Amino acid sequence: MGGWRDMSAEALEDHYSPSRWSPRLDRDTIIDAHLAVTAAGTERARASVKTLLHVPYGNGDREKLDIYFPTDLSETFPVLVYIHGGYWQCLSKDDSGFAAPPLVSQGVAVVAVGYDIAPEGHMDAMVLQVRRSLVFLVQQYPRIRGIYLCGHSAGAHLAAMVLSTDWTEFQVVPDIKGAVLVSGVYDLEPILHTYVNDALNMSRCPRRDSCREVAQRNSPMRHVPTAVPAACEVLVAVAQHDSPEFRRQSQEYSQALRAAGWSVSLLDLAGVDHFDVIEKLSEDSYILTQVILNMISRA
C-alpha cells in the first residue's frame, strides 16, 4: 500500500507527534509554551476587545461560544469562527481568542467554539457540536455577512468536516464564504494506530461501530462534497516544520478538494512549526493574518 501503512509503529507515533518536529523547543516544553502563548494572547484580547463570553449554543457544559465583536456593529459584519486544536483532547475556547485583535480591528467578528473533548467527548459528537454552533450563530445573529471557518490541527479537521455537511437536516444553510485549515488531519485512519486514539477511543460511540468505521465517516478526505458552494474559498495551510505526515495530509486534501471543483489553495508557511503557525495569528503583520483578511475583503 505504501505511505503510513508501511511505517513501523514507532515511526507512525513520531509522524503524528507534532511536538517532535519543532526546531525551536524540545518536545517536553513546546506544548506548555503553546498553552502559555495562547492563554496570554486570549487574556490580552479579552482586555482590549468587546466580548460576549460563554454564550450557550446547546445544553452541554462545553457547548459555549466566546464572541469578540468589532467596534462598529451598526452594519452587517463577517465572522471568523475559530475551532481550536489539541488533538481532540485538550485546549478549549478559553485559550482561543488570541487571534481576535487584528481581525476585530478590521471589522471582523471572531467566535471561538467550545466542544466536548476526549475522553468525555467522542468524534461523532464533536463534529455535530461544531455544526450546531454554526446553526446557532446564523439563527442568533442575522446581521452576519458571511462565515469564515478557521481551524488548527484537530480544529482544522473539524472545520473540514463542516464543509462536508448536508445542511438539510438542520433546516439552516450557513453562508460559509471561506475556510482556513491550518496544519490539519484529514484522514483519521492513521490516528487509530497511534497513542492519540488512547483517549479518543473511536470505537466508543453510541452506534457501537468499529474504530475504523468511526474514523472513516469522520475523515474529510473520504467526504469531499462534489456540490461545491458557489463562493467558498478554501485555504489549506501547513507549516514548514510540520511532520511529513501532516504535510502529506494537507497536500492530499487540497488536491482532493481541487479535483472536486473547489476553489482551493495550499500555503506552505516557511520558518514555523505546528504551534507557532497558529500562535502568530495574534500579529497584524503575519502572512496568514493578512491572507485571511484578504480572503474576507474579496468576498
Side-chain angles (χ1 to χ4, degrees):
M1 297 289 289
W4 67 267
R5 296 178 189 276
D6 289 341
M7 292 182 185
S8 68
E10 183 180 7
L12 196 61
E13 293 271 337
D14 278 347
H15 278 259
Y16 284 94
S17 300
S19 61
R20 302 184 185 190
W21 297 86
S22 172
R24 286 188 302 132
L25 295 167
D26 65 62
R27 54 188 279 197
D28 295 324
T29 58
I30 193 164
I31 293 176
D32 287 342
H34 180 63
L35 296 175
V37 167
T38 55
T42 299
E43 188 175 337
R44 286 194 298 271
R46 289 182 175 183
S48 63
V49 173
K50 179 183 178 183
T51 60
L52 196 57
L53 303 178
H54 318 306
V55 179
Y57 66 85
N59 297 323
D61 289 344
R62 284 181 175 261
E63 292 183 344
K64 294 180 173 64
L65 307 173
D66 287 346
I67 306 175
Y68 300 79
F69 290 103
T71 307
D72 184 6
L73 287 176
S74 61
E75 300 178 356
T76 59
F77 52 90
V79 172
L80 181 116
V81 175
Y82 181 76
I83 307 165
H84 69 80
Y87 251 161
W88 306 277
Q89 55 198 279
C90 67
L91 297 177
S92 75
K93 69 170 182 58
D94 300 320
D95 309 304
S96 300
F98 57 91
L103 298 170
V104 166
S105 69
Q106 299 300 312
V108 181
V110 174
V111 175
V113 178
Y115 56 91
D116 288 333
I117 56 175
E120 292 80 12
H122 58 82
M123 189 61 69
D124 291 325
M126 296 180 211
V127 171
L128 179 59
Q129 285 174 320
V130 174
R131 289 168 171 165
R132 285 176 37 236
S133 74
L134 294 190
V135 172
F136 172 84
L137 276 175
V138 170
Q139 292 173 333
Q140 292 296 121
Y141 295 95
R143 286 187 294 163
I144 288 176
R145 187 181 74 249
I147 291 172
Y148 298 83
L149 305 173
C150 180
H152 171 239
S153 197
H157 158 264
L158 294 171
M161 285 301 293
V162 169
L163 296 180
S164 72
T165 306
D166 178 359
W167 293 105
T168 54
E169 64 180 282
F170 297 93
Q171 300 179 318
V172 169
V173 181
D175 183 17
I176 299 174
K177 291 187 178 297
V180 179
L181 311 175
V182 184
S183 295
V185 176
Y186 309 105
D187 176 7
L188 297 187
E189 196 166 344
I191 294 290
L192 298 178
H193 306 277
T194 71
Y195 71 96
V196 181
N197 197 44
D198 294 347
L200 280 178
N201 189 9
M202 281 193 238
S203 63
R204 181 184 51 84
C205 73
R207 290 165 55 170
R208 305 288 185 190
D209 293 333
S210 70
C211 283
R212 192 160 185 259
E213 289 170 320
V214 176
Q216 288 182 349
R217 73 166 169 264
N218 289 294
S219 288
M221 270 293 292
R222 296 176 177 271
H223 303 283
V224 176
T226 52
V228 181
C232 181
E233 184 179 351
V234 181
L235 174 70
V236 179
V238 66
Q240 177 184 353
H241 300 298
D242 266 319
S243 76
E245 268 295 284
F246 270 79
R247 291 175 59 80
R248 175 191 66 80
Q249 288 229 15
S250 290
Q251 291 161 359
E252 291 187 2
Y253 185 56
S254 65
Q255 290 166 358
L257 287 171
R258 188 173 296 110
W262 286 71
S263 173
V264 59
S265 53
L266 178 66
L267 179 61
D268 195 337
L269 289 156
V272 289
D273 57 42
H274 188 81
F275 302 96
D276 60 351
V277 69
I278 199 73
E279 294 167 4
K280 288 176 177 287
L281 277 183
S282 63
E283 302 172 8
D284 296 80
S285 59
Y286 180 42
I287 182 172
L288 193 55
T289 307
Q290 293 301 312
V291 167
I292 290 170
L293 288 169
N294 288 339
M295 175 188 288
I296 294 172
S297 71
R298 287 195 297 271

